[in-house]
Structure formats: structure tokens, C-alpha cells
Amino acid sequence: MRYVTPSREVLAETLMAAGPDSPTLCDGWRTRELAAHLYLREHRPAHGLGLLVKPLAPATDRAVRRTAEAAAAPEDYTALVEKFRAGPPALSPLRIGGIARNANLVEYFVHTEDVRRAGTRWAPRALDEGYSSTLWTELIKRAALLYRGVDVGVVLVRPDGPRHVARRAPVSVAIVGEPSELLLHAHGRRRQALVTFEGRPDAVALLESADVGP
């Protein structure tokens, strides 16, 4: 839980500062829809199923909309964010360190940036070295899945040297950036991710047009 709890706090503070009706990078969601999603995924197990099982997605979407509508007023939005900040229920498996890290560390980082980078004025955060390295570890666990829809090879490269082959193919593109920026690119936040590409122009074009993300 070393980084999960502080990441939750940063996300809650970011949501509070933005207010209920600010834009996010999540398609169709304002900050109150995002706050609703974050609350529901920890307090309503069926919400998580709706994110994974396509036939259940409409019910999940309705739950998010209802919860967001109930949080339209500033005081109700504040109460919703505070419920998220308080964490999952006492008996939830998301209170177990390893499960919480796998489920929440990347989720919280990406959604924090979904709020921060939706506006016109933002700058990348200066992250603790240990936190950055942990994000890298989580990224390489998921990289093959996140780039499964790409028709070229993908190599993730950190400026300080480490690299990871996310997808193998006869022609590859290297994506270069800090772990946090690579993580955002891999989760489909391509326009906001501060990365560069190394490879043949046609291969780079294929990567940039591909379906990337969960």
C-alpha cells in the first residue's frame, strides 16, 4: 500500500479542486462521472463486472450516470469524493495490499492525469523515483495486453536506459518516455502523453492509428 494510499489522496484532491463539472480525458465523462465510477468500482462489485462483461456494460453506465446526477451540487459532489477518499468497505478484498496495488495503482495515476491534462494548462508532475519505478513495473506487466491491437512491434524505452518489448513483430517502433508518460500512452492517452517515437515512418503511422489501451 506504499503508493496506493497516497495516490488515492492525490486523486481525491485533484477531483475536489476541479469541481463536479470539469472535463476529463474519459470520453463523455465530467469529473462527477469519474468520481462516481471510482466510488462504484469499490463499493458495488457488479460495477466491476460491467467493465469487463459487455452485456452488463449498459447497467454499469446507468449506475454511473445516476450517481453522477446525484452529485451535481457541490456539496453532494464533495460527499461523493470523500466516500472515495475513505477507501473500500472494511471486508473488501481491495483492502489487501497486493490486490489493492494491482487494481488501483495504475487506475489512480491515469485518472489523476485524466483530470489534470483535460485542460489547456498543465505540466507533468515530478514523481518520486520509487513511485516512477513502481509504475514502470506495473506497465510492463500489462504492456502486451495494452498493445495487443497494434500491427507493429512495440518497444518501451525509458530515457535512463531500461527497455521492454511489449509486442514482437518484424518491424518495430520504440516509444521513448518516462514511465508515467509511457503508461499514459499505453492507456490510450496518446495526445497528452509526452513520448517520442523511433522507427520507420510507416510503422509509426500504424502505431499512431492503432487501438491502444485496456
Side-chain angles (χ1 to χ4, degrees), residues 4-199:
V4 174
T5 300
S7 295
R8 178 190 295 274
E9 184 68 23
V10 170
L11 177 50
E13 284 298 319
T14 301
L15 288 166
M16 290 289 283
D21 290 305
S22 293
T24 77
L25 299 181
C26 301
D27 189 30
W29 281 4
R30 296 158 294 183
T31 38
R32 54 185 158 121
E33 279 85 16
L34 178 53
H37 158 71
L38 290 165
Y39 168 76
L40 290 169
R41 69 187 286 272
E42 295 185 340
H43 290 262
R44 302 286 187 271
H47 179 74
L49 289 175
L51 298 174
L52 299 173
V53 182
K54 201 167 185 178
L56 300 178
T60 293
D61 186 62
R62 286 193 296 273
V64 168
R65 300 295 174 186
R66 284 196 302 268
T67 305
E69 287 170 7
E75 62 272 19
D76 296 322
Y77 175 74
T78 296
L80 178 61
V81 175
E82 289 299 337
K83 288 177 183 177
F84 162 68
R85 191 201 301 265
L91 299 180
S92 171
L94 289 173
R95 285 194 173 271
I96 300 171
I99 295 174
R101 171 173 162 166
N102 288 335
N104 291 334
L105 187 66
V106 169
E107 177 92 0
Y108 293 170
F109 175 79
V110 171
H111 283 324
T112 297
E113 297 306 310
D114 283 337
V115 179
R116 294 184 68 254
R117 302 190 186 202
T120 56
R121 293 186 177 183
W122 58 267
R125 287 184 284 161
L127 301 181
D128 172 88
E129 183 178 340
Y131 181 36
S132 183
S133 294
T134 301
L135 291 177
W136 171 254
T137 299
E138 294 301 312
L139 171 59
I140 62 178
K141 289 180 186 177
R142 300 163 165 79
L145 177 64
L146 295 169
Y147 287 103
R148 68 192 182 283
V150 179
D151 291 330
V152 296
V154 176
V155 183
L156 306 174
V157 182
R158 292 170 46 167
D160 57 350
R163 58 180 55 216
H164 174 73
V165 178
R167 185 172 179 83
R168 297 186 183 277
V171 177
S172 294
V173 174
I175 310 174
V176 184
E178 296 295 337
S180 54
E181 303 300 326
L182 293 171
L183 187 66
L184 289 171
H185 184 275
H187 281 79
R189 279 66 171 178
R190 290 179 288 188
R191 292 184 180 179
Q192 292 77 23
L194 302 179
V195 299
T196 58
F197 304 102
E198 297 176 359

